[in-house]
Amino acid sequence: MQKQKKIIEMFNQIAPTYDRANRILSFGADVRWRRKACEKVMALYEKQNLKIADIACGTGDMIRSWQESALKTQNTLNIKGIDPSSAMLNIAKEKFPNVEFIEAQAQNLPLESKSVDIISISYGIRNVVQRQKALEEFARVLKKEGILVVLEFIKREKTGFITAFRDFYLKNILPSIGAMISKNKSAYEYLPNSIEGFLSKDEFVLELKNAGFKIFDFKSFSFGVSSMFIAKKNKI
């Protein structure tokens, strides 16, 4: 658990510049990736008062995407944002004063069993040390046939120019830009290392299945830079 504490402290340190760094480092693409995922999931529902838990919510980017998507489909939402970083949550609370935020880790959610329609986690699952336990916790909290949507940077298995460019950007350019913005170069050196240490698509799908989920949609964005997994709870 020492490793998890270090990761949480790292996010506490970069919280003040986190939003600006995300927009610059992704060239704004992360906003589009989140929006597409939320619109895809929201189109599956025609009910009011959808209960959503956004895990590793950070400063609330995914929450904004959920709210904007709900306006288009005329769904009403009850969203909770959950994150272990108090500094991230402080910023999220200022941005979304009407949303309930909870300081907690993904593998130990303070939510009742079968109480949530949708769980989302965007670019956070690779930061969870006890990942399998967290996925099982998501299954516990979701209602029958509830939806899990995961956005993540996964390990690339293909070779070619796009892969080579992405790897060069992550390892050589991103840390320097991140350091200029946040004054914390080690945090942005962690990003490419965490991606390299994460799973391939097939490996992550297997973990989801082992936790009780059935994948029914997968999509890669921006030539495979970002990946979207949508899974349905496959057990009672």
Side-chain angles (χ1 to χ4, degrees), residues 66-117:
W66 281 124
Q67 291 177 336
E68 290 174 350
S69 298
L71 286 175
K72 294 180 180 180
T73 58
Q74 297 185 331
N75 283 322
T76 57
L77 307 178
N78 182 328
I79 302 180
K80 289 183 173 65
I82 299 174
D83 197 286
S85 167
S86 58
M88 289 284 191
L89 289 181
N90 287 338
I91 295 172
K93 290 173 183 176
E94 292 182 4
K95 292 164 64 176
F96 305 96
N98 296 323
V99 173
E100 179 183 355
F101 291 98
I102 303 170
E103 185 176 337
Q105 296 188 32
Q107 67 271 22
N108 188 22
L109 299 176
L111 302 173
E112 295 182 3
S113 297
K114 303 177 184 178
S115 62
V116 175
D117 295 295

Side-chain angles (χ1 to χ4, degrees), residues 166-227:
R166 186 191 83 152
D167 290 346
F168 179 82
Y169 175 76
L170 289 174
K171 293 178 181 178
N172 298 285
I173 300 175
L174 183 146
S176 297
I177 299 175
M180 286 190 294
I181 298 170
S182 69
K183 311 302 180 186
N184 190 328
K185 187 175 182 179
S186 63
Y188 288 92
E189 290 175 333
Y190 164 82
L191 175 62
N193 292 335
S194 67
I195 296 171
E196 184 62 30
F198 193 55
L199 307 173
S200 67
K201 172 190 172 183
D202 290 343
E203 289 170 337
F204 186 54
V205 167
L206 180 59
E207 285 198 355
L208 287 168
K209 288 181 178 178
N210 289 339
F213 289 98
K214 180 179 181 180
I215 295 288
F216 72 87
D217 200 358
F218 170 83
K219 184 175 179 60
S220 61
F221 300 121
S222 302
F223 302 101
V225 173
S226 171
S227 296

Side-chain angles (χ1 to χ4, degrees), residues 4-214:
Q4 190 69 78
K5 289 181 180 179
K6 288 182 179 179
I7 293 172
I8 295 169
E9 180 54 32
M10 178 191 72
F11 280 103
N12 281 332
Q13 292 171 7
I14 65 174
T17 58
Y18 186 73
D19 284 346
R20 184 157 61 98
N22 275 356
R23 297 300 93 78
I24 293 172
L25 292 171
S26 74
F27 305 101
D30 64 305
V31 176
R32 296 194 300 274
W33 298 334
R34 289 184 176 91
R35 183 179 67 246
K36 289 179 180 179
C38 290
E39 289 177 351
K40 182 75 174 182
V41 174
M42 200 63 68
L44 302 173
Y45 289 92
E46 295 181 358
K47 62 184 290 187
Q48 300 300 305
N49 197 31
L50 281 171
K51 291 181 171 57
I52 300 176
D54 185 41
I55 313 301
C57 67
T59 60
D61 280 339
M62 193 68 168
I63 289 173
R64 186 182 304 281
S65 295
W66 281 124
Q67 291 177 336
E68 290 174 350
S69 298
L71 286 175
K72 294 180 180 180
T73 58
Q74 297 185 331
N75 283 322
T76 57
L77 307 178
N78 182 328
I79 302 180
K80 289 183 173 65
I82 299 174
D83 197 286
S85 167
S86 58
M88 289 284 191
L89 289 181
N90 287 338
I91 295 172
K93 290 173 183 176
E94 292 182 4
K95 292 164 64 176
F96 305 96
N98 296 323
V99 173
E100 179 183 355
F101 291 98
I102 303 170
E103 185 176 337
Q105 296 188 32
Q107 67 271 22
N108 188 22
L109 299 176
L111 302 173
E112 295 182 3
S113 297
K114 303 177 184 178
S115 62
V116 175
D117 295 295
I118 301 168
I119 284 181
S120 60
I121 180 165
S122 57
Y123 311 107
I125 193 65
R126 75 182 187 284
N127 299 317
V128 178
V129 175
Q130 294 179 294
R131 186 174 56 248
Q132 194 65 45
K133 186 176 180 181
L135 295 176
E136 292 169 359
E137 185 74 338
F138 298 167
R140 177 189 68 81
V141 168
L142 281 169
K143 297 177 182 179
K144 182 179 178 182
E145 297 190 338
I147 297 295
L148 170 65
V149 54
V150 179
L151 285 166
E152 194 50 272
F153 304 115
I154 61 174
K155 185 186 296 184
R156 291 292 297 272
E157 296 180 313
K158 297 180 179 179
T159 58
F161 174 76
I162 297 297
T163 300
F165 176 78
R166 186 191 83 152
D167 290 346
F168 179 82
Y169 175 76
L170 289 174
K171 293 178 181 178
N172 298 285
I173 300 175
L174 183 146
S176 297
I177 299 175
M180 286 190 294
I181 298 170
S182 69
K183 311 302 180 186
N184 190 328
K185 187 175 182 179
S186 63
Y188 288 92
E189 290 175 333
Y190 164 82
L191 175 62
N193 292 335
S194 67
I195 296 171
E196 184 62 30
F198 193 55
L199 307 173
S200 67
K201 172 190 172 183
D202 290 343
E203 289 170 337
F204 186 54
V205 167
L206 180 59
E207 285 198 355
L208 287 168
K209 288 181 178 178
N210 289 339
F213 289 98
K214 180 179 181 180

